[in-house]
Amino acid sequence: LKNGDKLFKATVNNVEIGVNIKSNNRSGGYLLQHSGSDVYAQVLSLRNAELYKFMPKLEKNAKPTELTSPITGKIIKFKVSEGDEVKAGQELLVIEAMKMENIICTDYDVKIKKIEFSENDAVGVGQTIISFA
Amino acid sequence: MTNKLLIANRGEIACRIIKTCKKLGIKTVAVYSDADTNSLFVQMADESYNIGPAPSAKSYLNIEKIIDVIQKTGANLVHPGYGFLSENAKFVEELEKRNIRFVGPSSQSIAMMGDKIESKKIAIEAKVSTVPGHMGIVSESSEAKKIAKKIGLPVMIKASAGGGGKGMRVIYDEDKIADAFESTTNEARNSFGDDRIFIEKFIENPRHIEIQIIADKEGNVVCLGERECSIQRNNQKVIEEAPSPFIDPKTRKKMYDQSVKLAKKVDYFSAGTIEYVVDKDKNFYFLEMNTRLQVEHPVTELITGLDLVGLMIDVALDKKLPFTQDDIKLNGWAMESRIYAEDPARNFLPSSGRLNLYIEPDENEHVRVDTGIYEGGEVSMFYDAMIAKLCSYGKNRDEAIEHMKRALSNYAIAGISHNITFLETIMRNARFCSGEISTNFIKEEFSKGFLGNQLDSQDKRDLISTAMFIYNKNYSRNSRITGRLSKESKQINDRWVVMLDDESYLVQILSHSEEEMIINCDNTEIKIATY
């Protein structure tokens, strides 16, 4: 095991395993990928483990304020316009990438505040496409 | 005359073809688009030529440009791979006109099998069993209704030019026929510029099983076993295997006979695949014939020991097949996982970008990797999302699955999303392991999408010991940094808490060295060792 290795190969009770180390914060926090799952593993001293329960938890399902592009591609069509109120599951737009048209839906009930792109624009991962009111 | 082969394709399959050419001493020519300037296959080929901008229509589908390069380089052979121009009769005609050898069948065979309705007619003439349905074009929704009643629900409404899941609809309910007919017609017109529609009986819980054939120009046709490709998502194959866990020698023999009949009917030569749907009573029905090399050909190569690309080149050079049907023995079990650049956690959205990490499992007698990418390379948004194929081989199905699991866990890709976690989950699925699969497998087993595998106690032991081992390693490394108190380097506490997401486990270190660590967790001893 060298410093910075991303693939951890070992035997556990004499069975070969491979674990992907997706990130290592060098202080006991590791994002590991193994047997079909991503797991955040932490090693804590007994005292730290006791105090850990007082740490604030990140809100996982907070309502988003914007839609960022999940893929790099070309915007084919917007299915909504500014001012629309949309329901969870409704289609927002279509992005073409890798020969496929991908329909992007909203997971939440939202109101469209501003659309930052036009149809036929190229868009990259993480760019804000739509901001929600 | 020395042979020179041009590959009218890109990515993984171009690399695969170049490998065989190197073995046979054939010079290779690659053609590439702007987006592929730094791709692996361009580096592997003896010569390479840019044929235009990134969109396929302007490069990989540009017949004129490709023929220019063929003439400029003096290539006498052209291998089309799969996709792109591989089933384009016009391209093959242009080559035939110029006496350039196409590594594939004749333009007539391609044309005869290219259209879904035409090919079904030919199959019926050749006495190949086909899905009950209406022969011919349906133009009115009222007519569609009548036909559906006659063959019995459920039925499938299909666009003649359709494929890849587009232009197909399944109807269980008589009232929905009109709507479905309309939308399929629209979809077909918009996607393929061809709104011809036909209707056939829909087979529930079908398996997708195909027969690989190889034929020479003297009319010898040999079947090379079947492949089961039932694990599909939106009609895109995900996992393939050979042989099929469902086919017995008697059924195989029947499928062989019909496949040979069809191949002879269209004067087929080169490698080809006849796809069948198989129902639960082992009745099989002709679906279509692919007049080209298939993506999943490696599983057939693993169980037959043959090189299909090599055989295709031999046939193109007018050589006779070096074996007969009796020589073909199917040995062991092979499985293929398609590695797609897509994010299973986000409804399989494709992903593109630079690979900042790419580690393949080691290849050996049990593991084969076919890829067109490398660390530092790019996955472009212009082409197919399939970036690699991982094959495993074992004495039987269980062994092949075990080898696949191990190989998948030794695959590391970062920079783009990939479906390895999804593949690992399928390999651990009890229904998959039992072989009771159908083309509905993914839809049924992952009806709520893919949420990650449920870790079992063994997986947890692996992860807890891995985290503890890495922590200990970092700890001892940190203690060697200049200026540390020397005392710290000697001691590591023996009791720790390891958290996996929100679950915590108390761990006691019993012993540890550079390569090995023994811990106790929940009254179980775990030994972890690096090698």
Side-chain angles (χ1 to χ4, degrees):
Chain A
L1 181 69
K2 291 195 298 294
N3 215 346
D5 270 357
K6 299 284 189 199
L7 187 60
F8 178 74
K9 291 189 190 183
T11 58
V12 171
N13 295 340
N14 299 318
V15 178
E16 278 178 42
I17 63 155
V19 177
N20 261 295
I21 307 170
K22 292 177 92 175
S23 76
N24 174 353
N25 70 5
R26 315 232 158 234
S27 54
Y30 315 100
L31 186 58
L32 304 177
Q33 187 177 78
H34 180 58
S35 111
S37 263
D38 286 339
V39 173
Y40 186 62
Q42 290 182 89
V43 179
L44 304 170
S45 68
L46 295 182
R47 180 66 181 145
N48 282 352
E50 253 174 62
L51 296 172
Y52 188 79
K53 58 174 170 283
F54 299 111
M55 294 289 280
K57 287 231 158 46
L58 277 176
E59 184 82 45
K60 269 188 188 158
N61 290 314
K63 201 167 168 176
T65 55
E66 57 188 27
L67 172 82
T68 54
S69 180
I71 39 175
T72 300
K74 190 170 95 175
I75 296 176
I76 299 292
K77 196 166 173 45
F78 281 102
K79 302 269 186 153
V80 290
S81 33
E82 290 176 10
D84 285 2
E85 289 192 23
V86 292
K87 295 270 176 228
Q90 200 173 326
E91 294 174 7
L92 295 178
L93 75 158
V94 183
I95 301 179
E96 185 193 74
M98 290 168 152
K99 304 194 303 186
M100 303 280 281
E101 290 193 357
N102 302 285
I103 299 166
I104 314 295
C105 303
T106 168
D107 294 330
Y108 302 89
D109 295 354
V110 287
K111 188 173 177 201
I112 310 295
K113 190 160 111 193
K114 193 165 183 318
I115 295 178
E116 314 275 353
F117 283 86
S118 316
E119 286 173 8
N120 292 321
D121 280 356
V123 62
V125 171
Q127 279 185 286
T128 302
I129 302 176
I130 299 174
S131 43
F132 303 132
Chain B
M1 187 181 111
T2 52
N3 292 310
K4 197 186 234 185
L5 184 143
L6 179 136
I7 301 127
N9 212 306
R10 60 176 301 282
E12 169 273 316
I13 192 63
C15 297
R16 157 76 190 86
I17 295 163
I18 293 170
K19 274 186 199 160
T20 289
C21 289
K22 289 206 162 142
K23 224 165 43 191
L24 299 175
I26 296 172
K27 288 244 178 295
T28 50
V29 181
V31 289
Y32 63 94
S33 74
D34 293 346
D36 273 328
T37 308
N38 295 315
S39 288
L40 189 60
F41 73 96
V42 178
Q43 298 164 17
M44 277 172 74
D46 295 314
E47 299 170 53
S48 38
Y49 297 89
N50 182 302
I51 47 163
S56 315
K58 291 185 183 150
S59 46
Y60 295 108
L61 294 173
N62 188 334
I63 295 178
E64 221 172 281
K65 279 247 182 83
I66 291 174
I67 286 183
D68 275 354
V69 177
I70 295 170
Q71 286 176 327
K72 193 161 69 185
T73 56
N76 62 324
L77 293 155
V78 175
H79 200 302
Y82 51 74
F84 296 126
L85 295 170
S86 61
E87 291 177 290
N88 185 315
K90 192 171 149 261
F91 176 58
V92 181
E93 241 170 67
E94 293 294 324
L95 296 178
E96 284 165 355
K97 255 190 249 165
R98 293 171 172 80
N99 277 325
I100 301 159
R101 289 169 192 268
F102 180 69
V103 184
S106 67
S107 58
Q108 287 98 318
S109 303
I110 295 177
M112 284 164 96
M113 286 292 118
D115 185 279
K116 286 204 162 105
I117 292 176
E118 278 306 307
S119 68
K120 200 172 163 185
K121 279 184 187 154
I122 294 167
I124 290 170
E125 280 171 35
K127 302 213 161 46
V128 174
S129 66
T130 54
V131 180
H134 178 71
M135 291 308 302
I137 313 295
V138 185
S139 48
E140 295 259 350
S141 68
S142 58
E143 195 189 341
K145 227 172 190 169
K146 243 182 265 162
I147 295 162
K149 262 193 196 156
K150 206 177 87 195
I151 49 183
L153 292 165
V155 295
M156 173 130 80
I157 300 186
K158 238 170 157 180
S160 175
K166 267 189 186 163
M168 285 183 201
R169 263 181 189 65
V170 178
I171 326 295
Y172 289 88
D173 190 348
E174 208 185 301
D175 301 335
K176 301 219 169 100
I177 293 172
D179 279 354
F181 183 80
E182 288 300 319
S183 50
T184 310
T185 311
N186 287 338
E187 211 170 293
R189 193 184 305 120
N190 295 336
S191 305
F192 317 112
D194 176 354
D195 61 359
R196 290 177 301 153
I197 299 293
F198 69 111
I199 297 181
E200 65 184 23
K201 174 95 182 146
F202 176 68
I203 293 166
E204 288 177 270
N205 285 324
R207 284 169 180 257
H208 176 123
I209 296 172
E210 57 191 29
I211 300 285
Q212 173 72 52
I213 62 155
I214 180 88
D216 61 22
K217 290 179 180 171
E218 295 172 28
N220 300 306
V221 183
V222 175
C223 298
L224 306 178
E226 77 280 0
R227 290 186 289 259
E228 164 123 30
C229 316
S230 296
I231 307 296
Q232 308 183 347
R233 200 182 61 78
N234 291 343
N235 287 307
Q236 283 259 33
K237 295 168 188 169
V238 179
I239 290 168
E240 299 100 337
E241 59 187 296
S244 159
F246 191 58
I247 296 298
D248 51 45
K250 209 176 118 203
T251 314
R252 182 177 297 129
K253 176 86 180 33
K254 273 197 258 170
M255 293 177 89
Y256 273 14
D257 288 346
Q258 299 204 359
S259 303
V260 170
K261 268 194 244 162
L262 184 67
K264 291 202 163 158
K265 180 87 186 169
V266 296
D267 293 324
Y268 198 84
F269 55 80
S270 194
T273 297
I274 296 136
E275 299 192 335
Y276 295 95
V277 273
V278 182
D279 71 12
K280 57 184 194 308
D281 304 314
K282 295 200 172 113
N283 296 311
F284 58 91
Y285 308 100
F286 170 76
L287 205 60
E288 61 176 343
M289 178 166 186
N290 290 320
T291 55
R292 55 170 163 85
L293 190 67
Q294 300 265 101
V295 175
E296 59 273 23
H297 74 277
V299 290
T300 298
E301 295 186 328
L302 286 168
I303 62 160
T304 56
L306 298 167
D307 179 336
L308 281 171
V309 173
L311 287 168
M312 287 175 84
I313 293 173
D314 284 346
V315 170
L317 293 168
D318 302 335
K319 289 189 195 152
K320 202 179 153 198
L321 288 182
F323 46 72
T324 62
Q325 189 66 60
D326 293 337
D327 299 326
I328 302 301
K329 299 275 177 299
L330 308 181
N331 295 313
W333 211 284
M335 206 160 267
E336 176 183 271
S337 294
R338 295 192 186 190
I339 315 286
Y340 284 104
E342 61 185 17
D343 192 342
R346 287 196 302 189
N347 203 17
F348 297 92
L349 277 181
S351 155
S352 56
R354 193 170 295 284
L355 291 155
N356 52 37
L357 171 73
Y358 182 75
I359 305 171
E360 282 175 2
D362 297 333
E363 285 196 82
N364 55 40
E365 56 184 325
H366 298 295
V367 177
R368 167 174 167 175
V369 188
D370 283 76
T371 182
I373 54 172
Y374 57 93
E375 193 167 289
E378 218 173 318
V379 176
S380 132
M381 61 173 261
F382 294 100
Y383 312 111
D384 202 90
M386 196 193 75
I387 49 174
K389 303 185 301 205
L390 175 61
C391 293
S392 69
Y393 178 73
K395 280 203 288 290
N396 51 42
R397 193 165 188 268
D398 291 345
E399 231 183 63
I401 292 175
E402 280 310 312
H403 286 301
M404 181 61 80
K405 275 191 204 166
R406 195 167 312 152
L408 283 168
S409 76
N410 283 315
Y411 219 131
I413 303 175
I416 53 160
S417 307
H418 56 78
N419 65 336
I420 290 174
T421 49
F422 181 60
L423 295 167
E424 288 187 304
T425 306
I426 294 178
M427 290 298 152
R428 284 172 169 73
N429 179 292
R431 183 174 154 205
F432 176 77
C433 293
S434 75
E436 283 303 312
I437 49 180
S438 82
T439 53
N440 299 326
F441 175 84
I442 290 178
K443 229 185 320 179
E444 288 166 5
E445 297 292 314
F446 302 95
S447 55
K448 294 198 181 79
F450 176 64
L451 308 163
N453 187 30
Q454 281 297 335
L455 298 175
D456 62 21
S457 55
Q458 178 61 49
D459 297 331
K460 286 179 185 165
R461 278 200 286 275
D462 292 350
L463 286 166
I464 291 166
S465 55
T466 299
M468 203 59 241
F469 189 92
I470 299 171
Y471 186 83
N472 185 38
K473 201 88 185 173
N474 281 342
Y475 191 92
S476 71
R477 273 188 192 134
N478 288 348
S479 68
R480 289 200 293 267
I481 296 170
T482 325
R484 284 274 175 137
L485 294 174
S486 61
K487 204 175 140 231
E488 202 185 342
S489 67
K490 299 199 178 69
Q491 285 179 350
I492 177 166
N493 280 334
D494 64 350
R495 301 216 311 154
W496 295 87
V497 171
V498 174
M499 292 190 71
L500 299 181
D501 290 330
D502 295 328
E503 288 171 49
S504 48
Y505 301 88
L506 190 63
V507 172
Q508 191 184 6
I509 301 177
L510 300 176
S511 76
H512 67 98
S513 68
E514 276 288 297
E515 292 88 26
E516 199 183 278
M517 174 180 248
I518 298 173
I519 60 172
N520 185 317
C521 176
D522 282 344
N523 296 319
T524 319
E525 255 183 45
I526 310 171
K527 186 175 95 176
I528 181 163
T530 50
Y531 56 90

